[in-house]
């Protein structure tokens, strides 16, 4: 189960909106969606969470490049929404080395069309998974200081668990606002 919301900082505080990511295919699409939520070029946070697996924060400040934090890159790599956040730059890899995430492109049930779960387990144990393990680390990636100036330190962000979106909203003083779209 996924949850995604936009939190836009305005003069009057935080405004939340539920967001559908079905039409978002790239990080650029996601950044454009965030910019549309704040015509005044205020800070917009995109909060994405997959229940009990991972969470991600994308911060868009006006026309600046988006900043990204993902709590568990390996878990996010198995998610279509997580793949949007896991750019080559974020993972520190050369885009000319081939797209390792293509090897992880799975349907939501965890198998590619025509493959059984057993085939996936064999592939994960074999050499094919070695390249992806090197490129997609287990654990957090990205800008851990993404929320530091908003009152959420790097240490606090790294310690957040399965209900991180709620914890972030509470730290920002936006929990009631977020609950209106949850």
């Amino acid at each position: 189960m996924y949850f995604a919301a936009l939190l836009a900082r305005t003069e009057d505080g935080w405004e939340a909106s539920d967001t559908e990511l079905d039409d978002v295919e790239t990080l650029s699409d996601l950044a454009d969606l965030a910019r549309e939520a704040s015509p005044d070029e205020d800070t917009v946070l995109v909060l994405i969470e997959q229940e009990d697996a991972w969470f991600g924060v994308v911060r868009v400040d006006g026309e600046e490049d988006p900043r990204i934090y993902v709590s568990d890159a390996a878990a996010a790599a198995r998610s279509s929404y997580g793949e949007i956040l896991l750019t080559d730059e974020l993972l520190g890899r050369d885009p000319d080395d081939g797209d390792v995430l293509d090897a992880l492109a799975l349907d939501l049930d965890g198998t590619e069309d025509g493959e059984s779960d057993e085939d996936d387990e064999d592939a994960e144990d074999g050499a094919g998974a070695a390249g992806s393990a090197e490129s997609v680390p287990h654990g957090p990636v990205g800008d851990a200081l993404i929320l530091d100036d908003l009152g959420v330190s790097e240490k606090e962000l790294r310690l957040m668990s399965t209900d991180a979106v709620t914890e972030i909203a509470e730290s920002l003083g936006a929990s009631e606002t977020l609950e209106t779209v949850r």
Side-chain angles (χ1 to χ4, degrees), residues 33-177:
L33 182 69
R35 287 184 184 104
E36 289 172 13
S38 178
D40 296 330
E41 296 189 11
D42 292 319
T43 298
V44 178
L45 302 176
V46 181
L47 305 173
I48 303 171
E49 128 185 306
Q50 181 181 6
E51 194 171 289
D52 297 330
W54 66 276
F55 71 91
V57 178
V58 177
R59 179 176 177 162
V60 178
D61 293 301
E63 292 300 316
E64 292 181 29
D65 289 340
R67 296 168 55 193
I68 305 164
Y69 176 81
V70 176
S71 66
D72 186 337
R78 294 186 295 271
S79 157
S80 58
Y81 298 132
E83 286 181 349
I84 293 169
L85 306 181
L86 297 175
T87 64
D88 289 330
E89 181 181 348
L90 187 71
L91 296 173
R93 38 174 214 221
D94 183 354
D96 296 330
D97 287 346
D99 192 355
V100 175
L101 288 181
D102 279 347
L104 296 173
L106 305 175
D107 289 343
L108 293 179
D109 68 355
T111 62
E112 290 191 7
D113 291 335
E115 287 188 2
S116 70
D117 291 336
E118 291 173 20
D119 292 339
D120 270 349
E121 290 170 13
D122 292 343
E124 288 174 10
D125 293 337
S132 61
E134 292 172 17
S135 296
V136 184
H138 289 276
V141 295
D143 184 354
L145 297 173
I146 193 168
L147 301 173
D148 194 56
D149 65 323
L150 300 174
V152 181
S153 71
E154 174 181 3
K155 182 179 178 181
E156 290 170 315
L157 189 62
R158 290 186 187 272
L159 291 174
M160 288 185 180
S161 59
T162 58
D163 199 18
V165 168
T166 300
E167 292 178 51
I168 290 168
E170 285 175 5
S171 296
L172 299 175
S175 57
E176 287 181 23
T177 303

